[in-house]
Amino acid sequence: MASMQTVSSVSLAGGQGKTTVVLFVARFLAEQGRTVLVVDADPQSSLTTFLGHQVESESPTLLEVLKKQVGTEDGIYKTRYNNLFLIPSDDALDTVQDYLAGSGTGAFTLKRRLAAVAHLFDYCLIDAPPQRSQICLTVIGASDALVIPVETSVKGLQSLIRTLELISELRDDQEAFDGEILGVVPFRDRWVGLRRTNESESNIESMQQITQEWFSQDLVLPSIRESEKFKQAINRGQTLHEMGQPELAYPIEVLVKKIEQLE
Ligand code: ATP
Ligand code: MG
């Protein structure tokens, strides 16, 4: 029996599209009948909010799961969507940093916790925080594959380089990651009419060059266009198809295909 594949969305700067990618990929997979667990590993807890989940004061979150104060299953909640389950977070998750740093094998903590529920799900998608923190390390350590969303801006290119540096450290020094990099998803790609703006064009070319240098191949995937429709879909809890915007979902579909090819 095939076991759960864990894919994380990682990029070391704010506003790179990490949460957006996790949300739409998870909903797409769930709509196709796959059983999906999403893990909100960011203390900002945007993903928890986007999924309409309210953390009650006494109910366990990712914090208690990581600290092993509860079993992993006790931290999993149904969402309003079929086949889609959530380990939520709130700002208290930040207090787990010391726990992870003190354990010595913090990069493997989340992987171990998720192993306990791997038989229940087809896919696990993890939303990482923007900082190079202990939480980020344990997210990468738990992953079979990574996707790197990168804003089509200078800030985005810097985020890409920092992210690749961290991944290679975890791969080479700590052997905490031996998975696949599914690719780089340019985020907020700007077009005017039928033309990509010069800024987007040159930033995406830079992403291609950077991945060529690091991996000897172009790992840039189809881009997510700059569009208010994504924000509207998030606010309304709809998919892009439900919004009548199937063409905007193309980069999500390509990513889903890559995820389905894992293993
Ligand atoms: P953080 O590091 O702060 O968690 P992030 O990398 O998770 O950020 P997102 O939250 O996914 O980034 O996206 C940043 C912002 O861009 C959000 O406010 C989101 O609503 C908005 N956004 C999402 N999709 C698009 C789009 N296609 N075009 C423009 N803005 C978008
Ligand atoms: Mg986010």
Side-chain angles (χ1 to χ4, degrees):
M1 199 171 66
S3 98
M4 181 172 86
Q5 293 289 325
T6 300
V7 180
S8 301
S9 182
V10 181
S11 195
L12 291 177
Q16 300 297 303
K18 295 180 286 294
T19 306
T20 302
V21 163
V22 169
L23 179 70
F24 286 103
V25 167
R27 291 215 49 201
F28 201 102
L29 283 165
E31 294 234 325
Q32 292 191 325
R34 308 307 188 108
T35 317
V36 182
L37 175 64
V38 293
V39 178
D40 188 350
D42 185 354
Q44 295 178 96
S45 54
S46 321
L47 185 60
T48 298
T49 307
F50 290 171
L51 287 170
H53 182 87
Q54 279 270 26
V55 173
E56 309 287 342
S57 58
E58 294 301 313
S59 51
T61 63
L62 181 61
L63 174 66
E64 289 77 19
V65 169
L66 285 171
K67 285 183 151 180
K68 226 176 176 177
Q69 293 169 344
V70 299
T72 306
E73 282 184 55
D74 298 322
I76 299 176
Y77 299 82
K78 277 188 185 169
T79 67
R80 55 171 80 134
Y81 309 108
N82 282 338
N83 308 322
L84 191 55
F85 299 82
L86 169 69
I87 302 183
S89 74
D90 60 16
D91 54 9
L93 179 63
D94 231 358
T95 66
V96 86
Q97 307 280 13
D98 290 342
Y99 172 86
L100 292 172
S103 96
T105 57
F108 299 95
T109 303
L110 182 56
K111 190 188 196 95
R112 293 195 191 113
R113 302 297 184 261
L114 291 175
V117 296
H119 60 292
L120 298 173
F121 301 97
D122 296 317
Y123 295 102
C124 174
L125 293 164
I126 310 177
D127 188 20
Q131 303 86 7
R132 190 196 155 102
S133 58
Q134 293 292 324
I135 301 174
C136 194
L137 304 192
T138 207
V139 166
I140 295 175
S143 307
D144 297 304
L146 301 174
V147 53
I148 310 173
V150 173
E151 193 183 45
T152 56
S153 64
V154 172
K155 183 182 168 194
L157 296 177
Q158 290 164 349
S159 180
L160 173 58
I161 290 168
R162 277 201 299 276
T163 307
L164 294 175
E165 285 169 353
L166 175 60
I167 294 167
S168 83
E169 280 172 39
L170 285 171
R171 210 193 269 287
D172 302 338
D173 307 346
Q174 306 188 30
E175 293 175 12
F177 177 70
D178 65 355
E180 197 177 312
I181 295 175
L182 294 176
V184 172
V185 179
F187 179 62
R188 303 185 66 172
D189 176 16
R190 290 177 189 78
W191 287 61
V192 177
L194 293 174
R195 287 199 56 149
R196 184 175 258 154
T197 63
N198 290 337
E199 196 197 355
S200 282
E201 178 91 36
S202 83
N203 284 316
I204 290 173
E205 274 170 18
S206 299
M207 293 176 207
Q208 290 167 336
Q209 279 165 14
I210 291 166
T211 57
Q212 276 285 356
E213 280 162 26
W214 278 74
F215 306 102
S216 311
Q217 55 173 317
D218 174 4
L219 286 182
V220 178
L221 297 173
S223 65
I224 292 176
R225 295 278 191 105
E226 166 80 28
S227 165
E228 290 297 311
K229 298 288 178 197
F230 279 79
K231 283 184 227 172
Q232 286 172 17
I234 293 168
N235 291 338
R236 294 180 193 171
Q238 291 186 325
T239 63
L240 294 160
H241 286 87
E242 286 164 350
M243 290 275 298
Q245 304 287 331
E247 68 288 346
L248 289 179
Y250 178 67
I252 304 298
E253 286 169 24
V254 170
L255 210 43
V256 163
K257 286 224 177 67
K258 289 202 146 258
I259 291 170
E260 287 174 338
Q261 283 163 8
L262 285 171
E263 217 208 22

